[in-house]
Amino acid sequence: MRNQSVEFIMAGRRQRRRRWVLVTSLLAVLAGMLCCAMLLLGSTIYPVQDVIRALSGEHLKGVFFAVNTIRLPRMLAGLCAGFAFGIAGYTFQTMLRNPLANPNVIGITSGSSAAAVFCIIVLHSSRAVVSAASVIAGLATVLFIYMLSRGRSFSVGRLILVGIGIQAMLDAVISYLLLVSAQQDIPAALRWLTGSLNGSQMHELPPLVITVIIAAPIIIALGKHLDILELGEQSASSLGIDTGKTRITLIVSSVCMIAMATATTGPIAFVSFLSGPIAKRLVGVGFSNVIPAGLVGVNLVLAADLIGQFAFEYRFPVGIITGLLGAPYLIFLLIRMNRKGEL
């Protein structure tokens, strides 16, 4: 009887592993196809062999410039930013055990945005300074929200409400900066605030790529601990996890990724909010969904950018398309949580 029970548990585990591998592989293949589409499609559609020759360094007239200077940086920016937003959003939602607790909703993205807009409009800073200011502001926003929401005991609901309030305040700061700024600075700031891959340059990408390469493996390695944290503080501690160090490591890694992605592409709306729930719906529970959430983020950003470029008469920034996708889900989630008394 005991052997049958163990065999039943192991069979379920193997089934969940097969589903994880299958879904993750399909998401990776879809992301690869979207990357290829980003390189091939544009005002001129080039043959595959010409694109490959241009990527290998051959100076084909017209093709080399379009592929290596315009389409490749755009694709890489979307790939890295989508992965960063997806993983960071899933980390916060899982760690705080609430789908609303993601960087978009609790104001972390707004903190990075406000710092970046200040650097762009007031200080006219370089890209490196804007990136550094975004990361510092993101970390400071998290710390400020946490300090205000502590009270006598930590409450996720209180943290979300404080975060929404801080986000409103920071958005007001951004609006004020836009109102008092010089007219010639406004288009650049507005273009950045909508979340866009337009005008991505190869020399702007190293900070984001390096941050993702360093921070993503840390979060993936802590994926099992992250899932255990979802069970609650006491359960995680009883299983031998240092909850304090784990939380700090996850928060710092996530904020660095999302702040650097925000500094590179602007705050692409709702990607961090949607990636985790979609990944969990596709994969299920039992294995870490960190990598699937990152791949969902990549697919959302690249697909939304292709839709924004080619589905309408006018070209729209990627942030507008993801906003149209995410806003109805946020309303649905708020209504459902309110009915369950979780708000």
Side-chain angles (χ1 to χ4, degrees), residues 11 25 150 169 186 189 211 223 229 288-289 302 327 343:
S25 301
R150 282 187 67 180
M169 185 182 71
I186 293 178
T211 303
L229 281 175
S288 173
N289 287 328
L302 296 184
L343 286 178

Short mmCIF file of all heavy atoms in Angstrom, two decimals, residues 11 25 150 169 186 189 211 223 229 288-289 302 327 343:
data_model
loop_
_atom_site.label_atom_id
_atom_site.label_comp_id
_atom_site.label_asym_id
_atom_site.label_seq_id
_atom_site.Cartn_x
_atom_site.Cartn_y
_atom_site.Cartn_z
N ALA A 11 4.57 9.38 -9.95
CA ALA A 11 3.95 9.50 -11.28
C ALA A 11 3.41 10.91 -11.50
O ALA A 11 3.57 11.48 -12.59
CB ALA A 11 2.83 8.47 -11.42
N SER A 25 9.51 24.69 -23.32
CA SER A 25 10.08 24.55 -24.66
C SER A 25 9.24 25.28 -25.70
O SER A 25 9.79 25.97 -26.59
CB SER A 25 10.18 23.06 -25.03
OG SER A 25 10.97 22.36 -24.11
N ARG A 150 4.87 48.84 7.33
CA ARG A 150 5.21 47.86 8.37
C ARG A 150 4.18 47.82 9.49
O ARG A 150 3.58 46.80 9.76
CB ARG A 150 6.59 48.16 8.96
CG ARG A 150 7.72 47.70 8.07
CD ARG A 150 9.05 47.85 8.75
NE ARG A 150 9.19 46.96 9.90
CZ ARG A 150 10.26 46.90 10.65
NH1 ARG A 150 11.27 47.71 10.39
NH2 ARG A 150 10.34 46.07 11.67
N MET A 169 1.45 59.41 -6.16
CA MET A 169 2.27 60.58 -5.85
C MET A 169 3.40 60.75 -6.86
O MET A 169 3.66 61.86 -7.36
CB MET A 169 2.85 60.43 -4.44
CG MET A 169 3.62 61.64 -3.94
SD MET A 169 4.32 61.35 -2.31
CE MET A 169 5.61 60.17 -2.70
N ILE A 186 9.96 67.72 -23.97
CA ILE A 186 8.75 66.94 -23.69
C ILE A 186 8.60 65.72 -24.61
O ILE A 186 8.29 64.62 -24.14
CB ILE A 186 7.50 67.84 -23.76
CG1 ILE A 186 7.54 68.85 -22.60
CG2 ILE A 186 6.22 67.02 -23.70
CD1 ILE A 186 6.38 69.82 -22.60
N ALA A 189 10.70 62.81 -23.43
CA ALA A 189 10.22 62.23 -22.17
C ALA A 189 8.93 61.45 -22.37
O ALA A 189 8.75 60.35 -21.83
CB ALA A 189 10.01 63.33 -21.13
N THR A 211 22.85 43.19 -16.36
CA THR A 211 21.98 43.03 -15.18
C THR A 211 21.17 41.75 -15.26
O THR A 211 21.04 41.01 -14.28
CB THR A 211 21.03 44.24 -15.05
OG1 THR A 211 21.80 45.44 -14.98
CG2 THR A 211 20.17 44.14 -13.80
N GLY A 223 14.59 29.78 -6.99
CA GLY A 223 13.21 29.50 -7.38
C GLY A 223 12.48 28.59 -6.39
O GLY A 223 11.32 28.83 -6.05
N LEU A 229 8.44 30.22 0.08
CA LEU A 229 8.02 31.47 0.73
C LEU A 229 6.54 31.73 0.51
O LEU A 229 5.89 32.38 1.33
CB LEU A 229 8.85 32.65 0.18
CG LEU A 229 10.26 32.82 0.74
CD1 LEU A 229 10.97 33.95 0.01
CD2 LEU A 229 10.21 33.11 2.23
N SER A 288 9.16 25.37 -10.22
CA SER A 288 9.35 26.82 -10.27
C SER A 288 8.94 27.38 -11.63
O SER A 288 9.32 26.85 -12.68
CB SER A 288 10.82 27.15 -9.99
OG SER A 288 11.05 28.52 -10.20
N ASN A 289 8.17 28.45 -11.59
CA ASN A 289 7.72 29.08 -12.84
C ASN A 289 8.52 30.33 -13.18
O ASN A 289 8.05 31.17 -13.95
CB ASN A 289 6.23 29.46 -12.70
CG ASN A 289 5.33 28.24 -12.77
OD1 ASN A 289 5.66 27.27 -13.45
ND2 ASN A 289 4.22 28.27 -12.06
N LEU A 302 7.53 41.16 -27.41
CA LEU A 302 7.84 41.06 -28.84
C LEU A 302 6.55 41.00 -29.68
O LEU A 302 6.46 41.66 -30.73
CB LEU A 302 8.70 39.82 -29.11
CG LEU A 302 10.09 39.81 -28.46
CD1 LEU A 302 10.87 38.58 -28.90
CD2 LEU A 302 10.88 41.07 -28.83
N ALA A 327 -5.02 46.11 -18.93
CA ALA A 327 -6.02 46.84 -18.16
C ALA A 327 -7.29 46.03 -17.90
O ALA A 327 -7.78 46.00 -16.75
CB ALA A 327 -6.35 48.16 -18.86
N LEU A 343 -9.69 42.17 -0.76
CA LEU A 343 -9.21 43.55 -0.83
C LEU A 343 -9.53 44.29 0.46
O LEU A 343 -10.55 44.02 1.08
CB LEU A 343 -9.84 44.27 -2.02
CG LEU A 343 -9.32 43.90 -3.41
CD1 LEU A 343 -10.06 44.65 -4.47
CD2 LEU A 343 -7.82 44.19 -3.51
#
